[in-house]
Amino acid sequence: STRQSTLFPYTTLFRSSLTALFEHAADGEPGFAIVAGEAGVGKTRLVTELAGQAADSGFTILAGHCVELGAEGLPLAPLIDALRTLARTTARTELADVLGPARRGLGRLLPELDPGGAAEPAADGVQVSQLLELVLGLLGRLSARRPLLLVLEDLHWSDQSTRELVAFLIRSLRGVRVVLLATYRSDELNRRHPLRPLIASWDRLRTVQHVELSRFEPGEVAAQLGAILGTEPAAGLVDL
């Protein structure tokens, strides 16, 4: 993987390795990036800018957020979030095509994907391994139409099933036009956090880019204020 310290301005990131992921994905080479940093440092802002750039390049954008819920996050919350966006922004006939054989299984997670299946018994559920394969197939069919950016935010709140999904996709996505972009708060990961060993394993993969955003230095704060104000900021304002 490629670790990078804070790069300023953010456009430097856009034009370098992260944006290169979109170019490679458009040619059928999937990309994986993890953006880390403490709360409020600008992860979501960076991801939003990257998503806008991807959309301008013709990508489909699906995003989901992990939800804090006790010790474990809400099961598969970011996946359900992304599926909900897919269901509400895709024409019915096109949605049926991209869901394909995954419609029934994913409909158990989000009933609006399979309204006709709501009356059927769901006691048997969907096995984890089957669910992972259904998601993998869905992403492949989606990316066959347009390149796809899948954003999963706040992995520090992820449950085990979400972590397994991300690990599976990083290992299994091949030959598809997909970029997987995930974020997490580095200040939330204590030594026993279940995400920590996964991050360590992903850092050993050359296919994964790990960008860590740190706080701005005084010079960077001055540059940002100058860009916002249109003039060089006073030293007192920078200090403040």
Side-chain angles (χ1 to χ4, degrees):
S1 69
T2 303
R3 276 189 176 272
Q4 300 178 15
S5 59
T6 301
L7 298 178
F8 183 86
Y10 280 152
T11 50
T12 304
L13 278 172
F14 302 159
R15 295 170 184 170
S16 61
S17 55
L18 286 180
T19 52
L21 292 179
F22 301 125
E23 297 171 4
H24 295 322
D27 294 330
E29 181 181 341
F32 311 100
I34 305 169
V35 178
E38 63 184 29
V41 79
K43 298 182 298 300
T44 296
R45 174 64 175 174
L46 173 59
V47 168
T48 299
E49 293 291 341
L50 287 169
Q53 181 179 354
D56 290 342
S57 299
F59 277 66
T60 296
I61 313 297
L62 294 179
H65 295 73
C66 298
V67 178
E68 184 178 18
L69 188 67
E72 274 281 295
L74 190 66
L76 293 171
L79 173 61
I80 296 172
D81 215 0
L83 291 175
R84 185 177 296 110
T85 299
L86 176 66
R88 296 178 181 179
T89 59
T90 308
R92 182 174 300 182
T93 54
E94 183 180 357
L95 181 62
D97 288 341
V98 296
L99 287 174
R103 180 174 66 102
R104 187 62 50 85
L106 295 180
R108 298 181 189 276
L109 294 178
L110 186 67
E112 63 187 276
L113 292 177
D114 184 28
E120 298 182 8
D124 54 340
V126 179
Q127 298 296 320
V128 173
S129 59
Q130 179 187 5
L131 175 64
L132 298 179
E133 291 292 344
L134 292 177
V135 174
L136 182 65
L138 172 63
L139 297 184
R141 288 186 293 277
L142 280 170
S143 70
R145 293 169 175 260
R146 295 173 63 192
L148 171 68
L149 171 62
L150 177 61
V151 179
L152 304 177
E153 289 232 55
D154 298 327
L155 284 188
H156 54 280
W157 286 331
S158 61
D159 70 301
Q160 181 178 343
S161 56
T162 298
R163 294 190 294 270
E164 290 174 349
L165 173 63
V166 177
F168 175 79
L169 292 178
I170 289 177
R171 185 176 69 251
S172 304
L173 280 171
R174 296 290 183 272
V176 292
R177 299 187 297 170
V178 176
V179 174
L180 177 62
L181 180 57
T183 71
Y184 71 92
R185 290 184 186 173
S186 52
D187 51 331
E188 292 276 353
L189 266 60
N190 57 47
R191 289 188 301 171
R192 297 184 178 181
H193 196 289
L195 185 61
R196 185 175 287 276
L198 280 176
I199 296 293
S201 69
W202 296 335
D203 278 344
R204 293 192 290 269
L205 301 175
R206 64 177 181 82
T207 55
V208 178
Q209 297 197 36
H210 192 165
V211 177
E212 298 189 14
L213 303 181
S214 59
R215 300 180 186 185
F216 282 174
E217 298 294 332
E220 294 169 328
V221 173
Q224 186 184 41
L225 286 173
I228 293 171
L229 299 174
T231 184
E232 184 176 349
L237 178 59
V238 175
D239 292 340
L240 179 63

